[in-house]
Amino acid sequence: MLWVKSFHILFVASWFAGLFYLPRIFVNLAMVPPESVAERQRLLLMARKLMRFMTILAVPALVLGLWLWLGYGIGKGPGNGWMHAKLTIVVLLLGYHHACGVMLRRFEAGINRRSHVWYRWFNEAPVVMMLVAVVLVVVKPF
């Protein structure tokens, strides 16, 4: 079980790194002048590769988490409300991941309507979710 936990943490941490960095690429894409085609293409390439890598990391993180939850019973039973809260955070993060994919497709199609400031704020969402998830898992307040 400790190996499963270790790999789960490793994949989740790597997935979060991508969730932190992809919106930073969006900030840069939103700031690219229309005449800078090469810069835009380079940033799009980076964003596509990072999105693919994040998705590859998210799958084993989720599978290992399910294994811990269903296979080992971690978080089951009374007094484990923290697990329900953590699963809510996971669902929100999956939605955030999906939203990043939608935004990337919009950038690729050239139909971005948001400013770089909006993307800077959008970039803060996974930080808040990560902090809440860490507190839930470590402190288990309820």
Side-chain angles (χ1 to χ4, degrees), residues 62-136:
L62 291 169
V63 169
L64 291 169
L66 285 171
W67 187 357
L68 289 167
W69 182 41
L70 301 173
Y72 288 103
I74 293 177
K76 287 185 174 180
N80 287 304
W82 62 272
M83 180 58 91
H84 299 291
K86 178 188 168 192
L87 291 173
T88 301
I89 298 293
V90 169
V91 169
L92 290 172
L93 285 165
L94 289 170
Y96 185 88
H97 184 117
H98 174 73
C100 285
V102 170
M103 289 175 200
L104 177 56
R105 286 190 292 279
R106 287 186 180 153
F107 273 114
E108 289 174 327
I111 55 172
N112 173 50
R113 294 182 207 110
R114 296 192 168 110
S115 72
H116 67 94
V117 175
W118 188 92
Y119 288 106
R120 288 177 197 274
W121 282 103
F122 179 75
N123 188 43
E124 300 306 318
V127 174
V128 173
M129 288 188 265
M130 180 197 67
L131 290 173
V132 172
V134 166
V135 168
L136 288 170

Side-chain angles (χ1 to χ4, degrees), residues 18-41:
L19 288 176
F20 293 154
Y21 190 61
L22 186 60
R24 294 300 307 161
I25 296 174
F26 293 163
V27 168
N28 292 324
L29 275 165
M31 294 173 61
V32 171
E35 64 275 1
S36 294
V37 176
E39 181 181 4
R40 183 177 185 281
Q41 291 304 315

